[in-house]
Amino acid sequence: MKLTIKVKPGTTVKLDKHDPDETFGLTEEQADERLAMLTDELGELQELLYAARQHSVLIILQGMDTSGKDGTVKKVMTDVNPLGCRVEAFKVPSEEELAHDFLWRVHKVVPPKGLMTIFNRSHYEDVLVVRVHELVAKRVWKSRFHQINEFERTLVESGTIIVKFFLHISKHEQQKRLQAREREAAKAWKLSPGDWQERELWEAYQSAYETALMRCSTAYAKWHIVPANQKWFRNLAVAEALVRTLRPYRKDWEKVLQKLSDRKLAELEAMRATRSADA
Ligand code: ADP
């Protein structure tokens, strides 16, 4: 069963048509059981990706404040080997970054073949926060949709598998999560007065997200809308979509590894043969 909503290229997105509380009738217990199997499989797939070095994987996580980007990384990547995985977080750009084109800081950290990189926020901030706060002229952010699509196309044509997730929470759920941060000492470090201010711009952000999901869901890099009010469901949905995307590559990666192993064994045998001939 598919648990995320894949945005079909060229179609309109209306976020209020998608229920952030959706769980497709699953219970938390069932979800956790399935998640354990999926994270295990994701670990295997990542090992194959790493060893075969044919592709790279770029996972993009976007969502409103408190939507669970950090939590998703923590819960979905449990069986992934840190040796082959990186997380890149994109904050307010530095002076140096702002002096370059908006993709400069992003392109520097895309994954090379064999690696998996997770973007916690991404180049999409340049058509989201930048648009909502009018940090650049409208014509500038408008031209970025096409620039993003071309950038992602370049990556895909060079062997990168791109999976993009929008973690969809409701305004009410965000309020609950922000209030929980105030109440619970262990979560208070995450508090930022800015989060409450940004919340006042909720509608503007939702609308900016709708445009970004619409304009940048392409045949080669589709957006997934993830119902994310229930954290356990969000984790399962992301894991399921990731595994579903990577699974078709498994056989190819195994074949490459088999060839590599055959070659190494042949080399070893040849080396032993020369040694015994010399003896
Ligand atoms: P997070 O909320 O991701 O855990 P922070 O609280 O440090 O981490 O927030 C990062 C901030 O950086 C966000 O408010 C985000 O909108 C902002 N940001 C990221 N990229 C850009 C950008 N290109 N231009 C302006 N602000 C950005």
Side-chain angles (χ1 to χ4, degrees):
M1 193 186 3
K2 287 187 186 145
L3 305 177
T4 62
I5 300 100
K6 255 192 192 178
V7 179
K8 266 201 199 139
T11 55
T12 308
V13 176
K14 283 267 155 249
L15 284 174
D16 57 12
K17 294 247 161 68
H18 301 289
D19 182 6
D21 269 310
E22 181 65 82
T23 56
F24 294 101
L26 289 165
T27 63
E28 185 169 353
E29 201 183 357
Q30 288 169 329
D32 286 349
E33 238 171 72
R34 279 174 70 173
L35 179 66
M37 288 193 287
L38 288 165
T39 51
D40 189 51
E41 188 174 350
L42 187 61
E44 284 173 20
L45 287 164
Q46 185 238 347
E47 202 170 298
L48 290 169
L49 167 86
Y50 182 79
R53 293 224 186 312
Q54 301 296 295
H55 297 90
S56 58
V57 175
L58 174 60
I59 301 161
I60 296 180
L61 290 180
Q62 284 285 162
M64 300 293 286
D65 289 327
T66 75
S67 60
K69 300 183 284 295
D70 294 338
T72 304
V73 176
K74 189 171 159 190
K75 298 288 184 184
V76 175
M77 299 295 154
T78 45
D79 293 326
V80 160
N81 188 335
L83 206 62
C85 182
R86 289 187 201 140
V87 182
E88 298 288 346
F90 293 91
K91 310 276 181 186
V92 177
S94 67
E95 217 174 294
E96 190 190 17
E97 287 167 346
L98 279 175
H100 290 83
D101 70 90
F102 76 104
L103 292 169
W104 181 72
R105 67 172 180 166
V106 181
H107 207 167
K108 282 198 293 192
V109 292
V110 296
K113 286 202 169 69
L115 288 206
M116 189 180 263
T117 296
I118 302 150
F119 280 1
N120 184 336
R121 301 188 188 270
S122 65
H123 42 295
Y124 283 94
E125 292 293 328
D126 292 277
V127 291
L128 294 166
V129 63
V130 166
R131 170 180 174 177
V132 171
H133 285 278
E134 299 178 1
L135 301 179
V136 298
K138 186 171 180 181
R139 65 174 172 76
V140 174
W141 62 255
K142 273 193 138 182
S143 60
R144 288 181 176 167
F145 297 117
H146 132 83
Q147 291 163 359
I148 288 175
N149 288 343
E150 287 313 306
F151 170 62
E152 292 182 358
R153 185 203 294 277
T154 306
L155 298 182
V156 170
E157 289 181 357
S158 315
T160 304
I161 302 161
I162 303 181
V163 205
K164 304 187 285 196
F165 296 105
F166 168 65
L167 307 182
H168 183 34
I169 56 165
S170 63
K171 197 173 178 188
H172 179 61
E173 179 64 22
Q174 187 190 53
Q175 183 182 10
K176 285 198 324 204
R177 292 185 187 182
L178 286 173
Q179 285 169 343
R181 285 183 183 177
E182 281 181 46
R183 271 196 318 272
E184 294 169 39
K187 286 187 179 167
W189 66 272
K190 286 188 184 174
L191 276 173
S192 151
D195 289 347
W196 286 101
Q197 284 160 2
E198 288 303 280
R199 186 175 155 72
E200 288 167 20
L201 299 166
W202 180 274
E203 278 73 28
Y205 270 108
Q206 294 288 296
S207 163
Y209 265 112
E210 285 174 347
T211 318
L213 299 179
M214 242 161 12
R215 295 287 310 272
C216 298
S217 202
T218 53
Y220 48 88
K222 287 200 189 75
W223 271 105
H224 293 253
I225 300 172
V226 182
N229 270 6
Q230 306 297 334
K231 295 176 183 172
W232 55 266
F233 179 81
R234 170 204 75 203
N235 298 334
L236 176 67
V238 169
E240 195 260 358
L242 263 179
V243 168
R244 201 183 271 270
T245 306
L246 299 183
R247 214 181 254 150
Y249 295 90
R250 187 182 192 116
K251 280 213 176 90
D252 282 351
W253 293 338
E254 281 172 347
K255 258 191 224 159
V256 171
L257 287 186
Q258 189 57 53
K259 271 195 194 152
L260 203 64
S261 306
D262 290 348
R263 212 176 63 214
K264 298 261 164 151
L265 287 170
E267 274 172 22
L268 195 66
E269 239 173 68
M271 186 269 286
R272 287 196 178 130
T274 14
R275 279 203 175 174
S276 56
D278 289 347

